[in-house]
Amino acid sequence: MREQDREVFERARRFVYRNARPLDLARWKYHFENGSEQEVLAALSAYQNEDGGFGHGLEEDNMNPHSIPMQAWRATVALRELEGLHKSEAIVQKLLGYLARTSEFDGEKWSYVVASNNDFPHASWWTYSHASWYQDTEKERFIRRYNPTASLAGFILRYGDVDSDFWQKALGIAKESVEALFQLGDPQDMHVLSCFIQLWEDIGAAGLSGSFDMDRLTALLQDLVSATITQDISKWETDYICKPSQFFNRKESVFYDRNREVAQYECAFVRKTQMSDGGYAVNWSWDDYPEAWAVSRNWWSAEITVNNMIYLNNMGQEE
């Protein structure tokens, strides 16, 4: 670690210990203090319902306590961070069971938003409207179909039972998702693009590269990552932008070389924008539910702090 970053990390550590949810504190310990995977799993399991799904504000912009696909996706993000995670873990098996049985899976996709969101505090983008699907543009329909479906299909391929009908179903969904991306070319949305990158990583981890046109997929994702990252750094402090960390946080990534300059700038940006208390500002807000948003914003700030330190630790070393 660079000497200049030690103070940044120490301020961040104090902020995390004072403000983070148990999950993000466990993530901090796992990445920086020799914490165990089991500590992360124990904290994550607090958000898992009896049906194996996740809710209770795991994704901080939606306080719906019920199991919903987007919260299941958020759980997979935390699980993928654990390098030694085994598919036999109870939390994984329960999650796979939920994905197979939930009524929010129609056999082809998992729901993007669900009706019960409207009963609990949430950001406006998680509001359910039955009519919205039919009013969306082609790009918006693509986003709603494959976010989080592409990522969830990848998780099943990586951790599911290859002899099960459900695994075969996930393989078909993954192939259809990749073909849809080839046809559309550019979804113009960083969140759904992240889902496809997670699918791409899971395909490789599951040893399934031979079942996909991986050269074509890799080349397309490299192009899309470079096009989606906000290369104009003058917008970073004022706009809702896309940073390299949305897609990768290691120099070994296939996306690094083509975005080396802006990726290194993000390290400087992390150093520059740390607040005096050690945390980081959240550059979006909810239109409604101000009391719930105040809680969510603090949770987000702690999660962003952990993510920023992971990025800085991995990317901020000397070339």
Side-chain angles (χ1 to χ4, degrees):
M1 182 187 300
R2 291 182 176 185
E3 188 63 35
Q4 72 184 98
D5 291 336
R6 294 187 185 280
E7 187 175 344
V8 174
F9 269 80
E10 179 56 27
R11 287 196 297 266
R13 187 192 69 83
R14 290 196 296 266
F15 181 84
V16 168
Y17 268 82
R18 289 194 299 260
N19 294 279
R21 300 181 294 178
L23 173 60
D24 289 310
L25 179 56
R27 291 178 61 231
W28 175 274
K29 291 179 179 179
Y30 173 76
H31 287 285
F32 302 118
E33 298 178 5
N34 296 314
S36 71
E37 292 184 357
Q38 290 303 316
E39 288 180 274
V40 178
L41 294 176
L44 183 61
S45 69
Y47 298 90
Q48 191 168 37
N49 291 318
E50 288 298 316
D51 63 1
F54 287 80
H56 308 282
L58 175 58
E59 198 280 343
E60 295 96 317
D61 284 331
N62 190 347
M63 299 298 187
N64 190 341
H66 302 303
S67 296
I68 59 176
M70 195 58 73
Q71 298 286 16
W73 165 80
R74 180 59 187 83
T76 70
V77 173
L79 291 168
R80 287 182 177 103
E81 279 190 347
L82 305 178
E83 295 181 359
L85 181 68
H86 195 272
K87 62 177 64 177
S88 64
E89 288 285 353
I91 193 171
V92 173
Q93 289 301 309
K94 289 174 65 178
L95 173 54
L96 291 170
Y98 162 78
L99 293 174
R101 294 187 297 268
T102 177
S103 61
E104 298 297 341
F105 175 56
D106 65 5
E108 297 180 352
K109 67 181 184 305
W110 287 269
S111 300
Y112 177 76
V113 293
V114 302
S116 61
N117 286 353
N118 296 356
D119 298 329
F120 302 95
H122 63 279
S124 59
W125 44 92
W126 295 131
T127 297
Y128 176 84
S129 171
H130 179 69
S132 64
W133 179 273
Y134 305 99
Q135 297 170 353
D136 286 343
T137 64
E138 179 186 13
K139 185 191 80 171
E140 290 166 336
R141 286 194 297 270
F142 183 94
I143 292 168
R144 287 173 178 266
R145 182 176 180 88
Y146 298 107
N147 181 9
T149 290
S151 178
L152 293 178
F155 185 82
I156 296 163
L157 295 181
R158 186 169 183 171
Y159 295 104
D161 178 3
V162 298
D163 295 322
S164 68
D165 292 341
F166 185 53
W167 190 92
Q168 290 294 330
K169 171 68 74 173
L171 179 61
I173 293 171
K175 289 182 176 180
E176 188 275 331
S177 300
V178 170
E179 285 303 314
L181 182 63
F182 287 158
Q183 292 177 26
L184 184 66
D186 185 358
Q188 301 176 40
D189 180 87
M190 62 181 171
H191 303 294
V192 75
L193 180 55
S194 291
C195 289
F196 277 95
I197 290 172
Q198 289 155 8
L199 170 59
W200 171 78
E201 291 172 342
D202 290 335
I203 290 169
L208 294 170
S209 296
S211 299
F212 295 81
D213 188 345
M214 290 298 279
D215 289 341
R216 183 183 178 190
L217 179 58
T218 301
L220 176 58
L221 291 176
Q222 287 176 312
D223 289 343
L224 293 177
V225 164
S226 296
T228 305
I229 290 172
T230 304
Q231 304 285 345
D232 183 356
I233 61 175
S234 67
K235 298 179 179 179
W236 278 37
E237 293 195 42
T238 57
D239 297 357
Y240 184 76
I241 53 90
C242 180
K243 296 177 287 187
S245 56
Q246 178 73 25
F247 307 122
F248 63 92
N249 62 13
R250 294 183 181 276
K251 292 179 181 177
E252 296 80 10
S253 169
V254 299
F255 307 116
Y256 176 70
D257 283 343
R258 288 175 57 176
N259 300 283
R260 181 187 300 262
E261 185 175 349
V262 70
Q264 285 301 312
Y265 175 75
E266 185 170 356
C267 293
F269 188 77
V270 167
R271 298 179 185 111
K272 179 173 69 172
T273 57
Q274 186 179 43
M275 297 186 296
S276 60
D277 63 1
Y280 288 83
V282 182
N283 64 350
W284 67 91
S285 63
W286 299 1
D287 296 328
D288 301 305
Y289 311 106
E291 292 183 0
W293 166 241
V295 174
S296 173
R297 181 175 56 193
N298 195 59
W299 290 349
W300 270 119
S301 184
E303 181 179 327
I304 292 168
T305 300
V306 175
N307 292 344
N308 280 348
M309 294 305 106
I310 293 171
Y311 186 89
L312 188 59
N313 186 61
N314 291 344
M315 304 284 285
Q317 306 300 324
E318 297 287 354
E319 291 288 330

Short mmCIF file of all heavy atoms in Angstrom, two decimals, residues 166-228:
data_model
loop_
_atom_site.label_atom_id
_atom_site.label_comp_id
_atom_site.label_asym_id
_atom_site.label_seq_id
_atom_site.Cartn_x
_atom_site.Cartn_y
_atom_site.Cartn_z
N PHE A 166 -33.05 -27.64 -13.48
CA PHE A 166 -32.97 -26.20 -13.27
C PHE A 166 -31.66 -25.65 -13.80
O PHE A 166 -31.62 -24.57 -14.39
CB PHE A 166 -33.13 -25.88 -11.78
CG PHE A 166 -33.17 -24.41 -11.46
CD1 PHE A 166 -34.06 -23.57 -12.11
CD2 PHE A 166 -32.34 -23.87 -10.49
CE1 PHE A 166 -34.12 -22.22 -11.81
CE2 PHE A 166 -32.39 -22.52 -10.19
CZ PHE A 166 -33.28 -21.70 -10.85
N TRP A 167 -30.57 -26.40 -13.62
CA TRP A 167 -29.28 -25.97 -14.16
C TRP A 167 -29.35 -25.90 -15.68
O TRP A 167 -28.84 -24.95 -16.30
CB TRP A 167 -28.17 -26.91 -13.71
CG TRP A 167 -26.79 -26.43 -14.01
CD1 TRP A 167 -25.97 -25.70 -13.20
CD2 TRP A 167 -26.04 -26.65 -15.22
NE1 TRP A 167 -24.76 -25.44 -13.81
CE2 TRP A 167 -24.78 -26.02 -15.06
CE3 TRP A 167 -26.31 -27.32 -16.41
CZ2 TRP A 167 -23.80 -26.05 -16.04
CZ3 TRP A 167 -25.34 -27.34 -17.41
CH2 TRP A 167 -24.09 -26.71 -17.22
N GLN A 168 -29.97 -26.88 -16.29
CA GLN A 168 -30.12 -26.87 -17.73
C GLN A 168 -30.97 -25.68 -18.19
O GLN A 168 -30.69 -25.06 -19.22
CB GLN A 168 -30.75 -28.18 -18.21
CG GLN A 168 -29.84 -29.39 -18.09
CD GLN A 168 -28.62 -29.30 -19.01
OE1 GLN A 168 -28.68 -28.69 -20.09
NE2 GLN A 168 -27.52 -29.90 -18.59
N LYS A 169 -32.00 -25.37 -17.40
CA LYS A 169 -32.81 -24.19 -17.70
C LYS A 169 -31.95 -22.93 -17.65
O LYS A 169 -32.05 -22.06 -18.53
CB LYS A 169 -33.97 -24.10 -16.71
CG LYS A 169 -34.77 -22.82 -16.77
CD LYS A 169 -35.57 -22.68 -18.03
CE LYS A 169 -36.77 -23.59 -18.02
NZ LYS A 169 -37.65 -23.32 -19.20
N ALA A 170 -31.11 -22.82 -16.63
CA ALA A 170 -30.23 -21.65 -16.50
C ALA A 170 -29.26 -21.56 -17.66
O ALA A 170 -28.96 -20.46 -18.15
CB ALA A 170 -29.48 -21.71 -15.17
N LEU A 171 -28.77 -22.71 -18.13
CA LEU A 171 -27.86 -22.71 -19.27
C LEU A 171 -28.57 -22.16 -20.51
O LEU A 171 -27.99 -21.35 -21.25
CB LEU A 171 -27.35 -24.12 -19.54
CG LEU A 171 -26.39 -24.28 -20.72
CD1 LEU A 171 -25.12 -23.46 -20.52
CD2 LEU A 171 -26.04 -25.76 -20.92
N GLY A 172 -29.80 -22.56 -20.70
CA GLY A 172 -30.56 -22.04 -21.83
C GLY A 172 -30.80 -20.55 -21.72
O GLY A 172 -30.70 -19.80 -22.71
N ILE A 173 -31.11 -20.07 -20.51
CA ILE A 173 -31.32 -18.64 -20.29
C ILE A 173 -30.02 -17.87 -20.55
O ILE A 173 -30.03 -16.79 -21.16
CB ILE A 173 -31.83 -18.39 -18.86
CG1 ILE A 173 -33.24 -18.96 -18.69
CG2 ILE A 173 -31.82 -16.89 -18.52
CD1 ILE A 173 -33.74 -18.94 -17.27
N ALA A 174 -28.91 -18.42 -20.09
CA ALA A 174 -27.62 -17.76 -20.30
C ALA A 174 -27.31 -17.65 -21.79
O ALA A 174 -26.86 -16.59 -22.26
CB ALA A 174 -26.52 -18.53 -19.58
N LYS A 175 -27.53 -18.72 -22.54
CA LYS A 175 -27.27 -18.68 -23.98
C LYS A 175 -28.18 -17.67 -24.67
O LYS A 175 -27.72 -16.90 -25.54
CB LYS A 175 -27.44 -20.07 -24.57
CG LYS A 175 -26.35 -21.05 -24.17
CD LYS A 175 -26.56 -22.41 -24.82
CE LYS A 175 -25.41 -23.35 -24.50
NZ LYS A 175 -25.58 -24.69 -25.13
N GLU A 176 -29.45 -17.66 -24.30
CA GLU A 176 -30.40 -16.71 -24.90
C GLU A 176 -30.00 -15.28 -24.54
O GLU A 176 -30.10 -14.37 -25.38
CB GLU A 176 -31.82 -17.02 -24.42
CG GLU A 176 -32.92 -16.24 -25.11
CD GLU A 176 -33.14 -14.87 -24.48
OE1 GLU A 176 -32.89 -14.74 -23.25
OE2 GLU A 176 -33.58 -13.95 -25.19
N SER A 177 -29.55 -15.06 -23.31
CA SER A 177 -29.13 -13.72 -22.88
C SER A 177 -27.96 -13.21 -23.70
O SER A 177 -27.94 -12.05 -24.15
CB SER A 177 -28.76 -13.74 -21.39
OG SER A 177 -29.85 -14.13 -20.58
N VAL A 178 -26.97 -14.07 -23.90
CA VAL A 178 -25.79 -13.68 -24.68
C VAL A 178 -26.17 -13.37 -26.12
O VAL A 178 -25.71 -12.37 -26.70
CB VAL A 178 -24.72 -14.79 -24.61
CG1 VAL A 178 -23.59 -14.51 -25.60
CG2 VAL A 178 -24.16 -14.90 -23.19
N GLU A 179 -27.02 -14.19 -26.71
CA GLU A 179 -27.46 -13.93 -28.09
C GLU A 179 -28.22 -12.61 -28.17
O GLU A 179 -28.07 -11.86 -29.16
CB GLU A 179 -28.33 -15.08 -28.59
CG GLU A 179 -27.55 -16.33 -28.93
CD GLU A 179 -26.46 -16.08 -29.97
OE1 GLU A 179 -26.76 -15.40 -30.98
OE2 GLU A 179 -25.33 -16.55 -29.77
N ALA A 180 -29.02 -12.31 -27.16
CA ALA A 180 -29.76 -11.05 -27.15
C ALA A 180 -28.81 -9.86 -27.08
O ALA A 180 -29.03 -8.83 -27.73
CB ALA A 180 -30.74 -11.02 -25.98
N LEU A 181 -27.74 -10.00 -26.31
CA LEU A 181 -26.75 -8.92 -26.22
C LEU A 181 -26.05 -8.75 -27.56
O LEU A 181 -25.81 -7.62 -28.00
CB LEU A 181 -25.74 -9.23 -25.12
CG LEU A 181 -24.68 -8.15 -24.89
CD1 LEU A 181 -25.31 -6.84 -24.42
CD2 LEU A 181 -23.63 -8.62 -23.88
N PHE A 182 -25.71 -9.85 -28.22
CA PHE A 182 -25.10 -9.76 -29.54
C PHE A 182 -26.00 -9.00 -30.51
O PHE A 182 -25.55 -8.17 -31.31
CB PHE A 182 -24.82 -11.15 -30.10
CG PHE A 182 -23.66 -11.87 -29.45
CD1 PHE A 182 -23.58 -13.26 -29.51
CD2 PHE A 182 -22.65 -11.17 -28.81
CE1 PHE A 182 -22.51 -13.92 -28.93
CE2 PHE A 182 -21.58 -11.83 -28.21
CZ PHE A 182 -21.51 -13.23 -28.28
N GLN A 183 -27.29 -9.28 -30.44
CA GLN A 183 -28.24 -8.66 -31.36
C GLN A 183 -28.44 -7.18 -31.06
O GLN A 183 -28.48 -6.35 -31.97
CB GLN A 183 -29.57 -9.39 -31.32
CG GLN A 183 -29.53 -10.79 -31.89
CD GLN A 183 -30.85 -11.52 -31.77
OE1 GLN A 183 -31.90 -10.90 -31.72
NE2 GLN A 183 -30.81 -12.84 -31.72
N LEU A 184 -28.57 -6.84 -29.77
CA LEU A 184 -28.80 -5.43 -29.42
C LEU A 184 -27.53 -4.61 -29.60
O LEU A 184 -27.58 -3.47 -30.06
CB LEU A 184 -29.30 -5.33 -27.97
CG LEU A 184 -29.66 -3.91 -27.51
CD1 LEU A 184 -30.87 -3.38 -28.28
CD2 LEU A 184 -29.93 -3.88 -26.01
N GLY A 185 -26.42 -5.18 -29.20
CA GLY A 185 -25.14 -4.49 -29.36
C GLY A 185 -24.75 -3.66 -28.16
O GLY A 185 -23.71 -3.89 -27.56
N ASP A 186 -25.59 -2.70 -27.78
CA ASP A 186 -25.25 -1.80 -26.67
C ASP A 186 -26.51 -1.46 -25.89
O ASP A 186 -27.37 -0.71 -26.37
CB ASP A 186 -24.60 -0.52 -27.20
CG ASP A 186 -24.12 0.38 -26.07
OD1 ASP A 186 -24.31 0.03 -24.88
OD2 ASP A 186 -23.54 1.44 -26.38
N PRO A 187 -26.65 -2.00 -24.67
CA PRO A 187 -27.83 -1.68 -23.86
C PRO A 187 -27.81 -0.27 -23.29
O PRO A 187 -28.82 0.20 -22.77
CB PRO A 187 -27.78 -2.73 -22.75
CG PRO A 187 -26.34 -3.08 -22.63
CD PRO A 187 -25.78 -2.99 -24.02
N GLN A 188 -26.66 0.39 -23.33
CA GLN A 188 -26.53 1.77 -22.85
C GLN A 188 -26.98 1.92 -21.39
O GLN A 188 -27.62 2.89 -21.02
CB GLN A 188 -27.33 2.73 -23.75
CG GLN A 188 -26.90 2.71 -25.20
CD GLN A 188 -27.77 3.58 -26.07
OE1 GLN A 188 -28.16 4.68 -25.68
NE2 GLN A 188 -28.10 3.11 -27.27
N ASP A 189 -26.63 0.94 -20.60
CA ASP A 189 -26.98 0.97 -19.17
C ASP A 189 -25.91 0.22 -18.40
O ASP A 189 -25.67 -0.96 -18.66
CB ASP A 189 -28.35 0.33 -18.94
CG ASP A 189 -28.76 0.35 -17.48
OD1 ASP A 189 -29.35 1.36 -17.05
OD2 ASP A 189 -28.47 -0.64 -16.78
N MET A 190 -25.27 0.89 -17.44
CA MET A 190 -24.15 0.28 -16.74
C MET A 190 -24.59 -0.85 -15.83
O MET A 190 -23.82 -1.79 -15.58
CB MET A 190 -23.38 1.34 -15.95
CG MET A 190 -24.16 2.04 -14.87
SD MET A 190 -23.10 3.27 -14.04
CE MET A 190 -24.28 4.15 -13.02
N HIS A 191 -25.83 -0.81 -15.34
CA HIS A 191 -26.26 -1.84 -14.41
C HIS A 191 -26.51 -3.17 -15.11
O HIS A 191 -26.08 -4.22 -14.62
CB HIS A 191 -27.51 -1.36 -13.67
CG HIS A 191 -27.31 -0.06 -12.95
ND1 HIS A 191 -26.44 0.07 -11.88
CD2 HIS A 191 -27.83 1.18 -13.16
CE1 HIS A 191 -26.44 1.32 -11.46
NE2 HIS A 191 -27.27 2.02 -12.22
N VAL A 192 -27.20 -3.14 -16.23
CA VAL A 192 -27.42 -4.39 -16.96
C VAL A 192 -26.11 -4.89 -17.56
O VAL A 192 -25.87 -6.10 -17.64
CB VAL A 192 -28.52 -4.25 -18.02
CG1 VAL A 192 -28.04 -3.47 -19.23
CG2 VAL A 192 -29.04 -5.62 -18.45
N LEU A 193 -25.22 -3.99 -17.95
CA LEU A 193 -23.91 -4.40 -18.44
C LEU A 193 -23.13 -5.13 -17.35
O LEU A 193 -22.46 -6.14 -17.62
CB LEU A 193 -23.12 -3.20 -18.95
CG LEU A 193 -21.72 -3.47 -19.50
CD1 LEU A 193 -21.76 -4.52 -20.60
CD2 LEU A 193 -21.08 -2.18 -20.01
N SER A 194 -23.24 -4.67 -16.11
CA SER A 194 -22.60 -5.37 -14.99
C SER A 194 -23.13 -6.79 -14.87
O SER A 194 -22.38 -7.73 -14.57
CB SER A 194 -22.82 -4.62 -13.69
OG SER A 194 -22.13 -3.40 -13.66
N CYS A 195 -24.44 -6.97 -15.09
CA CYS A 195 -25.03 -8.31 -15.01
C CYS A 195 -24.43 -9.23 -16.06
O CYS A 195 -24.17 -10.41 -15.80
CB CYS A 195 -26.54 -8.23 -15.19
SG CYS A 195 -27.42 -7.50 -13.78
N PHE A 196 -24.18 -8.71 -17.25
CA PHE A 196 -23.58 -9.53 -18.29
C PHE A 196 -22.11 -9.84 -18.00
O PHE A 196 -21.62 -10.92 -18.33
CB PHE A 196 -23.73 -8.86 -19.66
CG PHE A 196 -25.06 -9.13 -20.29
CD1 PHE A 196 -26.11 -8.23 -20.16
CD2 PHE A 196 -25.28 -10.28 -21.01
CE1 PHE A 196 -27.35 -8.47 -20.73
CE2 PHE A 196 -26.51 -10.55 -21.59
CZ PHE A 196 -27.55 -9.64 -21.45
N ILE A 197 -21.42 -8.92 -17.37
CA ILE A 197 -20.04 -9.19 -16.97
C ILE A 197 -20.02 -10.27 -15.90
O ILE A 197 -19.16 -11.18 -15.92
CB ILE A 197 -19.35 -7.90 -16.49
CG1 ILE A 197 -19.13 -6.96 -17.68
CG2 ILE A 197 -18.03 -8.21 -15.80
CD1 ILE A 197 -18.64 -5.60 -17.30
N GLN A 198 -20.95 -10.23 -14.96
CA GLN A 198 -21.04 -11.28 -13.95
C GLN A 198 -21.34 -12.62 -14.59
O GLN A 198 -20.76 -13.66 -14.21
CB GLN A 198 -22.10 -10.90 -12.91
CG GLN A 198 -21.67 -9.75 -12.02
CD GLN A 198 -22.82 -8.96 -11.43
OE1 GLN A 198 -23.99 -9.34 -11.56
NE2 GLN A 198 -22.51 -7.86 -10.78
N LEU A 199 -22.24 -12.65 -15.57
CA LEU A 199 -22.52 -13.88 -16.31
C LEU A 199 -21.27 -14.38 -17.01
O LEU A 199 -20.94 -15.58 -16.95
CB LEU A 199 -23.64 -13.64 -17.32
CG LEU A 199 -23.90 -14.75 -18.35
CD1 LEU A 199 -24.26 -16.06 -17.66
CD2 LEU A 199 -25.00 -14.33 -19.33
N TRP A 200 -20.56 -13.50 -17.68
CA TRP A 200 -19.31 -13.85 -18.38
C TRP A 200 -18.29 -14.45 -17.42
O TRP A 200 -17.65 -15.48 -17.72
CB TRP A 200 -18.78 -12.59 -19.05
CG TRP A 200 -17.42 -12.66 -19.64
CD1 TRP A 200 -17.04 -13.23 -20.83
CD2 TRP A 200 -16.22 -12.11 -19.07
NE1 TRP A 200 -15.70 -13.06 -21.03
CE2 TRP A 200 -15.17 -12.39 -19.98
CE3 TRP A 200 -15.94 -11.42 -17.90
CZ2 TRP A 200 -13.86 -11.99 -19.73
CZ3 TRP A 200 -14.65 -11.02 -17.64
CH2 TRP A 200 -13.61 -11.30 -18.55
N GLU A 201 -18.14 -13.85 -16.24
CA GLU A 201 -17.21 -14.38 -15.24
C GLU A 201 -17.66 -15.76 -14.75
O GLU A 201 -16.83 -16.67 -14.57
CB GLU A 201 -17.11 -13.41 -14.06
CG GLU A 201 -16.41 -12.10 -14.42
CD GLU A 201 -16.49 -11.07 -13.29
OE1 GLU A 201 -17.36 -11.23 -12.40
OE2 GLU A 201 -15.70 -10.12 -13.32
N ASP A 202 -18.96 -15.93 -14.53
CA ASP A 202 -19.47 -17.20 -14.05
C ASP A 202 -19.32 -18.30 -15.08
O ASP A 202 -19.04 -19.46 -14.74
CB ASP A 202 -20.95 -17.07 -13.66
CG ASP A 202 -21.15 -16.23 -12.40
OD1 ASP A 202 -20.22 -16.16 -11.58
OD2 ASP A 202 -22.25 -15.67 -12.23
N ILE A 203 -19.50 -17.97 -16.34
CA ILE A 203 -19.30 -18.96 -17.41
C ILE A 203 -17.88 -19.50 -17.36
O ILE A 203 -17.63 -20.71 -17.43
CB ILE A 203 -19.58 -18.33 -18.79
CG1 ILE A 203 -21.08 -18.06 -18.96
CG2 ILE A 203 -19.08 -19.23 -19.92
CD1 ILE A 203 -21.43 -17.20 -20.17
N GLY A 204 -16.92 -18.59 -17.21
CA GLY A 204 -15.52 -19.02 -17.11
C GLY A 204 -15.26 -19.84 -15.86
O GLY A 204 -14.60 -20.88 -15.92
N ALA A 205 -15.79 -19.38 -14.72
CA ALA A 205 -15.55 -20.09 -13.46
C ALA A 205 -16.19 -21.47 -13.46
O ALA A 205 -15.69 -22.39 -12.81
CB ALA A 205 -16.10 -19.26 -12.30
N ALA A 206 -17.30 -21.62 -14.19
CA ALA A 206 -18.00 -22.91 -14.26
C ALA A 206 -17.39 -23.84 -15.30
O ALA A 206 -17.87 -24.98 -15.44
CB ALA A 206 -19.47 -22.68 -14.56
N GLY A 207 -16.37 -23.38 -16.03
CA GLY A 207 -15.75 -24.21 -17.04
C GLY A 207 -16.60 -24.43 -18.27
O GLY A 207 -16.52 -25.48 -18.93
N LEU A 208 -17.40 -23.43 -18.60
CA LEU A 208 -18.35 -23.56 -19.70
C LEU A 208 -17.99 -22.71 -20.92
O LEU A 208 -18.82 -22.49 -21.80
CB LEU A 208 -19.75 -23.16 -19.22
CG LEU A 208 -20.38 -24.07 -18.17
CD1 LEU A 208 -21.65 -23.43 -17.60
CD2 LEU A 208 -20.69 -25.43 -18.75
N SER A 209 -16.75 -22.26 -20.99
CA SER A 209 -16.37 -21.37 -22.09
C SER A 209 -16.61 -22.00 -23.45
O SER A 209 -16.92 -21.31 -24.42
CB SER A 209 -14.90 -20.97 -21.94
OG SER A 209 -14.70 -20.22 -20.75
N GLY A 210 -16.48 -23.32 -23.53
CA GLY A 210 -16.68 -23.99 -24.80
C GLY A 210 -18.12 -24.01 -25.27
O GLY A 210 -18.39 -24.32 -26.44
N SER A 211 -19.05 -23.67 -24.39
CA SER A 211 -20.47 -23.66 -24.74
C SER A 211 -20.94 -22.31 -25.25
O SER A 211 -22.11 -22.15 -25.60
CB SER A 211 -21.31 -24.07 -23.53
OG SER A 211 -20.99 -25.38 -23.10
N PHE A 212 -20.04 -21.33 -25.27
CA PHE A 212 -20.38 -19.98 -25.68
C PHE A 212 -19.31 -19.46 -26.64
O PHE A 212 -18.19 -19.97 -26.65
CB PHE A 212 -20.47 -19.04 -24.47
CG PHE A 212 -21.58 -19.36 -23.51
CD1 PHE A 212 -21.43 -20.37 -22.56
CD2 PHE A 212 -22.78 -18.67 -23.55
CE1 PHE A 212 -22.45 -20.67 -21.67
CE2 PHE A 212 -23.79 -18.96 -22.67
CZ PHE A 212 -23.64 -19.97 -21.73
N ASP A 213 -19.66 -18.46 -27.42
CA ASP A 213 -18.67 -17.78 -28.27
C ASP A 213 -17.96 -16.74 -27.40
O ASP A 213 -18.25 -15.55 -27.44
CB ASP A 213 -19.37 -17.12 -29.46
CG ASP A 213 -18.38 -16.56 -30.48
OD1 ASP A 213 -17.18 -16.44 -30.14
OD2 ASP A 213 -18.80 -16.25 -31.60
N MET A 214 -17.02 -17.23 -26.59
CA MET A 214 -16.40 -16.38 -25.58
C MET A 214 -15.50 -15.31 -26.18
O MET A 214 -15.40 -14.21 -25.63
CB MET A 214 -15.62 -17.24 -24.58
CG MET A 214 -16.51 -18.07 -23.68
SD MET A 214 -17.59 -17.06 -22.62
CE MET A 214 -16.46 -16.61 -21.30
N ASP A 215 -14.85 -15.59 -27.30
CA ASP A 215 -14.01 -14.56 -27.92
C ASP A 215 -14.88 -13.37 -28.34
O ASP A 215 -14.52 -12.21 -28.09
CB ASP A 215 -13.28 -15.12 -29.13
CG ASP A 215 -12.17 -16.09 -28.74
OD1 ASP A 215 -11.74 -16.06 -27.57
OD2 ASP A 215 -11.74 -16.88 -29.60
N ARG A 216 -16.00 -13.66 -28.96
CA ARG A 216 -16.90 -12.59 -29.39
C ARG A 216 -17.49 -11.86 -28.19
O ARG A 216 -17.57 -10.63 -28.18
CB ARG A 216 -18.01 -13.16 -30.27
CG ARG A 216 -18.97 -12.11 -30.82
CD ARG A 216 -20.08 -12.76 -31.62
NE ARG A 216 -21.04 -11.77 -32.11
CZ ARG A 216 -22.21 -12.08 -32.67
NH1 ARG A 216 -22.55 -13.36 -32.82
NH2 ARG A 216 -23.02 -11.12 -33.08
N LEU A 217 -17.90 -12.62 -27.18
CA LEU A 217 -18.49 -12.00 -26.00
C LEU A 217 -17.48 -11.13 -25.26
O LEU A 217 -17.79 -10.01 -24.86
CB LEU A 217 -19.05 -13.08 -25.06
CG LEU A 217 -19.69 -12.59 -23.76
CD1 LEU A 217 -20.84 -11.63 -24.05
CD2 LEU A 217 -20.17 -13.76 -22.92
N THR A 218 -16.27 -11.63 -25.11
CA THR A 218 -15.23 -10.85 -24.43
C THR A 218 -14.93 -9.56 -25.18
O THR A 218 -14.84 -8.48 -24.56
CB THR A 218 -13.95 -11.68 -24.28
OG1 THR A 218 -14.23 -12.87 -23.54
CG2 THR A 218 -12.86 -10.88 -23.56
N ALA A 219 -14.80 -9.64 -26.48
CA ALA A 219 -14.51 -8.45 -27.29
C ALA A 219 -15.64 -7.44 -27.19
O ALA A 219 -15.40 -6.22 -27.08
CB ALA A 219 -14.27 -8.85 -28.74
N LEU A 220 -16.88 -7.92 -27.23
CA LEU A 220 -18.02 -7.00 -27.13
C LEU A 220 -18.05 -6.34 -25.76
O LEU A 220 -18.25 -5.12 -25.66
CB LEU A 220 -19.32 -7.76 -27.38
CG LEU A 220 -20.62 -6.94 -27.21
CD1 LEU A 220 -20.63 -5.73 -28.13
CD2 LEU A 220 -21.85 -7.82 -27.43
N LEU A 221 -17.84 -7.11 -24.70
CA LEU A 221 -17.86 -6.53 -23.36
C LEU A 221 -16.73 -5.52 -23.18
O LEU A 221 -16.91 -4.48 -22.54
CB LEU A 221 -17.76 -7.64 -22.31
CG LEU A 221 -18.99 -8.55 -22.18
CD1 LEU A 221 -18.72 -9.67 -21.18
CD2 LEU A 221 -20.23 -7.75 -21.78
N GLN A 222 -15.56 -5.79 -23.75
CA GLN A 222 -14.47 -4.82 -23.68
C GLN A 222 -14.87 -3.51 -24.35
O GLN A 222 -14.60 -2.43 -23.81
CB GLN A 222 -13.21 -5.39 -24.33
CG GLN A 222 -12.53 -6.47 -23.50
CD GLN A 222 -11.34 -7.08 -24.21
OE1 GLN A 222 -11.42 -7.44 -25.39
NE2 GLN A 222 -10.21 -7.18 -23.53
N ASP A 223 -15.49 -3.61 -25.51
CA ASP A 223 -15.94 -2.40 -26.20
C ASP A 223 -16.99 -1.65 -25.37
O ASP A 223 -16.94 -0.42 -25.26
CB ASP A 223 -16.54 -2.76 -27.56
CG ASP A 223 -15.49 -3.21 -28.58
OD1 ASP A 223 -14.29 -2.94 -28.35
OD2 ASP A 223 -15.88 -3.83 -29.58
N LEU A 224 -17.94 -2.39 -24.81
CA LEU A 224 -19.03 -1.76 -24.06
C LEU A 224 -18.54 -1.13 -22.77
O LEU A 224 -19.00 -0.05 -22.39
CB LEU A 224 -20.13 -2.79 -23.77
CG LEU A 224 -20.90 -3.31 -24.98
CD1 LEU A 224 -21.91 -4.37 -24.56
CD2 LEU A 224 -21.60 -2.17 -25.71
N VAL A 225 -17.61 -1.79 -22.10
CA VAL A 225 -17.06 -1.21 -20.87
C VAL A 225 -16.38 0.12 -21.17
O VAL A 225 -16.61 1.13 -20.49
CB VAL A 225 -16.09 -2.20 -20.20
CG1 VAL A 225 -15.22 -1.49 -19.16
CG2 VAL A 225 -16.85 -3.34 -19.55
N SER A 226 -15.55 0.15 -22.20
CA SER A 226 -14.85 1.39 -22.54
C SER A 226 -15.82 2.50 -22.96
O SER A 226 -15.61 3.67 -22.64
CB SER A 226 -13.85 1.13 -23.67
OG SER A 226 -12.85 0.23 -23.23
N ALA A 227 -16.90 2.10 -23.66
CA ALA A 227 -17.87 3.10 -24.11
C ALA A 227 -18.76 3.59 -22.98
O ALA A 227 -19.25 4.73 -23.02
CB ALA A 227 -18.73 2.49 -25.22
N THR A 228 -18.97 2.76 -21.96
CA THR A 228 -19.92 3.10 -20.89
C THR A 228 -19.25 3.90 -19.78
O THR A 228 -19.88 4.76 -19.16
CB THR A 228 -20.55 1.82 -20.33
OG1 THR A 228 -21.16 1.09 -21.40
CG2 THR A 228 -21.62 2.14 -19.30
#
